[in-house]
Amino acid sequence: NHIGDYKLNGYNFTKYLLKSNRINWFGTENKTIKIINNNNKIILSGYCCLSTNPSHIKIPNNKDINYLDYNKMIKNLVDYKNKGFFNIVSIHHGIEHIHLVSSEDIKFARNLSTKIDYIYYGHHPHVLQPFEQINNSKIFYSLGNCLFDDVYRQKKDKKPLVKMTEANRLGGIATIEIKSNKVINNKLVNIYLSNKKI
């Protein structure tokens, strides 16, 4: 949701840094990542909910952030499934600093699990939220923070605009084992961001 904070120049510079370090990316310009390995065909896609107040940018050729439009997303994910791909979906949604998942987000994720088997991982709350399995779908509503810090408006500021709390220092990494496009094992590895190391 902050990809447009520094306008098109900042967006293009971010893409340049990723490409120059051979890091693939998705979540804008309708871009996905396809991984084909052994008997697995996996597709990664990402969407940003308008409720998280994304900064808008005008990318040439009418491309932009992949905004969370439920009907469009369902169409895309079902299409990927019909092409033999297992969906892993990154969703930027939720209420910041709240450990409980909103009823809207629960309905959204559960309804999607009636259409396809998939992995759903959320971010934006900056705190851990519950994990559940619905049908054959794994839903991680919010994985908290993995790499984050106090936020300063300017480098010279002495007080941060946003200060990390103990709840913000907790995060999780979802580890998933997929065989023949089916999840056969998964767990959540907890992490803690101390002042010195993860």
Side-chain angles (χ1 to χ4, degrees):
N1 69 326
H2 290 286
I3 193 67
D5 284 5
Y6 292 94
K7 309 299 179 204
L8 190 57
N9 285 342
Y11 173 75
N12 286 332
F13 185 61
T14 300
K15 282 190 354 183
Y16 163 77
L17 289 174
L18 291 171
K19 285 179 181 178
S20 63
N21 286 285
R22 290 178 283 157
I23 298 171
N24 209 344
W25 53 274
F26 62 96
T28 64
E29 302 180 27
N30 298 317
K31 191 171 179 325
T32 60
I33 295 177
K34 293 176 182 170
I35 301 168
I36 300 173
N37 186 345
N38 298 325
N39 290 329
N40 292 316
K41 283 178 70 177
I42 298 167
I43 192 160
L44 306 173
S45 58
Y47 299 87
C48 183
C49 184
L50 288 171
S51 68
T52 63
N53 197 26
S55 52
H56 302 278
I57 44 176
K58 297 236 184 224
I59 303 171
N61 303 320
N62 293 323
K63 294 181 178 179
D64 205 332
I65 298 167
N66 297 351
Y67 296 111
L68 185 56
D69 174 318
Y70 183 76
N71 292 326
K72 183 178 176 185
M73 188 184 87
I74 287 283
K75 182 181 177 305
N76 288 344
L77 298 184
V78 169
D79 183 49
Y80 302 148
K81 177 192 169 190
N82 291 338
K83 290 177 178 171
F85 286 93
F86 180 78
N87 286 283
I88 299 179
V89 187
S90 171
I91 305 284
H92 192 268
H93 73 110
I95 303 168
E96 285 188 317
H97 313 296
I98 302 294
H99 291 280
L100 296 175
V101 186
S102 74
S103 59
E104 283 182 350
D105 292 332
I106 291 170
K107 286 178 193 171
F108 176 86
R110 289 180 177 177
N111 187 50
L112 187 53
S113 73
T114 66
K115 313 247 185 309
I116 60 167
D117 294 338
Y118 75 115
I119 294 170
Y120 175 112
Y121 69 96
H123 43 97
H124 181 65
H126 296 283
V127 293
L128 281 170
Q129 290 182 341
F131 154 77
E132 66 177 342
Q133 176 171 329
I134 302 293
N135 301 320
N136 292 312
S137 296
K138 315 295 182 189
I139 303 169
F140 300 88
Y141 286 101
S142 173
L143 293 173
N145 285 327
C146 179
L147 295 173
F148 211 74
D149 203 351
D150 294 340
V151 177
Y152 293 85
R153 195 181 307 272
Q154 295 180 28
K155 288 183 181 180
K156 63 183 179 182
D157 289 350
K158 297 205 172 158
K159 285 190 174 180
L161 183 65
V162 178
K163 185 157 180 56
M164 292 282 282
T165 66
E166 279 302 298
N168 295 140
R169 293 181 182 281
L170 297 173
I173 297 173
T175 64
I176 312 288
E177 186 177 356
I178 299 172
K179 196 175 268 190
S180 300
N181 277 16
K182 297 224 182 284
V183 176
I184 60 168
N185 195 8
N186 67 278
K187 67 179 179 177
L188 187 67
V189 177
N190 292 314
I191 57 173
Y192 178 78
L193 303 173
S194 75
N195 289 327
K196 295 182 180 176
K197 63 180 182 178
I198 295 178

